[in-house]
Amino acid sequence: DQQVKQNSPSLSVQEGRISILNCDYTNSMFDYFLWYKKYPAEGPTFLISISSIKDKNEDGRFTVFLNKSAKHLSLHIVPSQPGDSAVYFCAAKTSYDKVIFGPGTSLSVIP
Amino acid sequence: EAGVAQSPRYKIIEKRQSVAFWCNPISGHATLYWYQQILGQGPKLLIQFQNNGVVDDSQLPKDRFSAERLKGVDSTLKIQPAKLEDSAVYLCASSLGASGGETQYFGPGTRLLVL
């Protein structure tokens, strides 16, 4: 059972435009959500997170939005840069259990 | 500050052989995680240690996989005997504590191919 879903395996965006990566989850007990970024041949690196008590968290060019009623979150990157080209993993957890990762979305930012 | 170290980076073995992976977490990090990432999927937790005790090994196939973290620092993950479906990247991560929201820092992973 896939508790964290990223339905778009890949996404291409022009440099300078907005990248929107989507994530859906099924477990209503999840109360903490994270985004990780992964370059080839490297491990994932933490990007940004959001608690379920918030609906938005911003860090520079990266903003995560959480819609609890829809069990949906999204990562916005504005403006997109070629160095943002990577695989992005959405992840979620409850306060007492392990992190569950989605399958990832491969973002390509075209110069 | 040094990151999470893993070795080897690549390993090719035949099915039914055994293999071991090594991980050295960030100094001072109490919690260590081993993940399996199969191509096209996200990382899946195999086992979590806090210091040298096991916190969660519910998804570890214990008939063939074993892991230890002696002295609460380095860790090894072993597969014996390996199956074709064990081909994956094995990621080690560490975090300072184990409370909710702790950032996990990942190593570069070991890519295993079982023929």
Side-chain angles (χ1 to χ4, degrees), chain B residues 21-61:
Chain B
F21 313 127
W22 172 82
C23 173
N24 181 234
I26 293 173
S27 177
H29 280 196
T31 305
L32 184 147
Y33 313 79
W34 281 104
Y35 287 88
Q36 179 192 59
Q37 186 184 4
I38 292 172
L39 189 64
Q41 299 180 20
K44 182 183 84 170
L45 182 71
L46 293 176
I47 189 166
Q48 176 182 341
F49 293 95
Q50 184 158 3
N51 298 310
N52 58 350
V54 175
V55 173
D56 186 342
D57 63 357
S58 58
Q59 299 188 112
L60 186 74

Side-chain angles (χ1 to χ4, degrees), chain A residues 28-55:
Chain A
S28 58
M29 298 301 291
F30 285 145
D31 56 11
Y32 196 73
F33 304 88
L34 310 95
W35 286 92
Y36 278 82
K37 174 179 176 178
K38 184 182 182 305
Y39 292 120
E42 295 183 13
T45 55
F46 171 74
L47 189 58
I48 193 169
S49 62
I50 188 168
S51 163
S52 61
I53 62 173
K54 293 186 172 182
D55 54 17

Side-chain angles (χ1 to χ4, degrees), chain B residues 51-115:
Chain B
N51 298 310
N52 58 350
V54 175
V55 173
D56 186 342
D57 63 357
S58 58
Q59 299 188 112
L60 186 74
K62 297 180 187 64
D63 57 335
R64 298 183 301 105
F65 286 65
S66 64
E68 59 183 10
R69 191 185 184 197
L70 299 175
K71 301 179 183 177
V73 182
D74 293 7
S75 177
T76 56
L77 176 70
K78 296 179 182 177
I79 308 175
Q80 183 179 3
K83 292 186 175 181
L84 296 177
E85 59 260 36
D86 298 332
S87 294
V89 176
Y90 291 85
L91 294 161
C92 180
S94 69
S95 65
L96 196 56
S99 62
E102 281 283 343
T103 298
Q104 296 182 28
Y105 297 86
F106 285 82
T110 296
R111 186 175 297 275
L112 173 68
L113 180 60
V114 182
L115 302 175

Side-chain angles (χ1 to χ4, degrees), chain A residues 3-35:
Chain A
Q3 297 188 63
V4 179
K5 304 176 185 180
Q6 294 176 259
N7 293 321
S8 297
S10 62
L11 176 69
S12 287
V13 172
Q14 208 72 30
E15 181 179 3
R17 305 294 290 267
I18 183 171
S19 295
I20 300 177
L21 295 93
N22 292 305
C23 177
D24 297 290
Y25 60 95
T26 57
N27 187 345
S28 58
M29 298 301 291
F30 285 145
D31 56 11
Y32 196 73
F33 304 88
L34 310 95
W35 286 92

